[in-house]
Amino acid sequence: MAMINHFLHHAAEYSETRSVTLPPVRLVLPAALASLGGIIAGLAVLRRAPRFFQAYVIMALAIGSIILVAPGRAALLNESAIAAVAYYPPLTFIAASAVAIWQLKNNRRPWASWWRDNGAITLTGLFAIAVYLEVFPRADSFHLVRVLPPVFLFFFALLVRCLPAFREHLRKYVPSPNRVALLTMATPLIFLLLAGVQDTWAPEFDSGFHFKDNRELTIERGRGIFVEEKQAELTEGLVQMIQTNSSPEDYIFSFAQRGSALYFLAARRNPTRFLWWRSVGISGEEREGVMTMITTRRAKLIVVQDVAANREIQDFIGDNYDHIGTVADIAVYGLR
């Protein structure tokens, strides 16, 4: 129940003003038309010249792979294909829901028998939907990449379920239906993996296989932790500010999500049980307790992200604390 309340809370909180919509249709249209054209051409080959269908699938896979991993040669299609991934989760859920509704409508077996065959994949789909709904108001790549693994798992399970029927259909046209069915089903999975490599894995490298996260933190508790230069400056600046303005026995509290590691890195204590203000399962009474803690001046320092959305919290903090400094967009307040 706490998780459901958390989802509903964020869906309402982000609303239209803080949401990030799906990529515009005009951006996705080139990839969508290319995919539709490829599917139509494949069906035509399967019907008219089935002996060439396997060669066609291999050719389509090769061309699609080149487009995804070599954007300089097909920048428009590459950008469109990456943007189209944002539509992949909802389209997967819509397709799965349509199949489930059709099965239930035409089901002639006892419910227990249907559940025995479909219960596992149904639960997998519900889990993937639940994870997706938590980030849906923020449809940018940074949030979507978190939900793609469970959606990918669900999509893979759907393909496995469809494989026998697709293989039987191919048996009418090709002499090696098993190999062709596996190759055809693997094509969308390979495209999704390549899109992931291109958009999430490759950007983590400067050149070759040199990670961008190659700067070791210089603070005592940061030894062995490698981050990007910008992240290193933010972390070291905040830790230095916290340690300069407090002692190891003092409490600090961070409203900022990116400040949850400061308790460890700065060797300071958290007066609450919350690593992050918006963590799931925190009740209204517990949130009020945090505000009371600020009023009673229990924490020596308060860390908060200096953005418009936190203006009310910052005004509340300002009744008992003074702003002592800001690193990037993270502000630190100290007791007066």
Side-chain angles (χ1 to χ4, degrees), residues 122-265:
T122 300
L123 292 176
T124 303
L126 290 174
F127 174 77
I129 290 174
V131 175
Y132 177 75
L133 288 178
E134 200 263 340
V135 304
F136 173 69
R138 297 160 292 177
D140 58 89
S141 59
F142 296 104
H143 288 91
L144 282 174
V145 72
R146 305 178 190 176
V147 305
L148 288 181
V151 178
F152 186 86
L153 172 64
F154 180 52
F155 183 66
F156 178 77
L158 287 176
L159 289 182
V160 171
R161 293 291 297 270
C162 295
L163 183 60
F166 184 59
R167 185 172 51 212
E168 289 303 313
H169 181 73
L170 286 176
R171 200 178 298 278
K172 305 174 186 177
Y173 302 98
V174 297
S176 304
N178 291 338
R179 183 172 65 248
V180 176
L182 286 172
L183 179 62
T184 305
M185 291 291 191
T187 299
L189 296 177
I190 293 174
F191 284 159
L192 287 169
L193 288 172
L194 288 176
V197 168
Q198 181 68 16
D199 200 45
T200 62
W201 187 75
E204 298 303 318
F205 296 86
D206 285 322
S207 61
F209 291 98
H210 298 287
F211 276 107
K212 289 183 178 180
D213 297 343
N214 56 6
R215 160 85 141 76
E216 184 178 10
L217 293 177
T218 58
I219 53 181
E220 182 180 356
R221 290 196 169 192
R223 294 174 183 172
I225 300 177
F226 290 82
V227 296
E228 294 185 29
E229 182 66 34
K230 184 177 180 180
Q231 181 64 38
E233 292 175 358
L234 171 67
T235 303
E236 291 167 355
L238 285 172
V239 168
Q240 181 179 4
M241 189 178 299
I242 289 171
Q243 291 181 335
T244 301
N245 293 277
S246 65
S247 63
E249 294 76 24
D250 289 327
Y251 289 109
I252 69 170
F253 182 76
S254 173
F255 282 94
Q257 182 181 14
R258 288 186 293 162
S260 57
L262 294 175
Y263 301 113
F264 169 76
L265 293 175

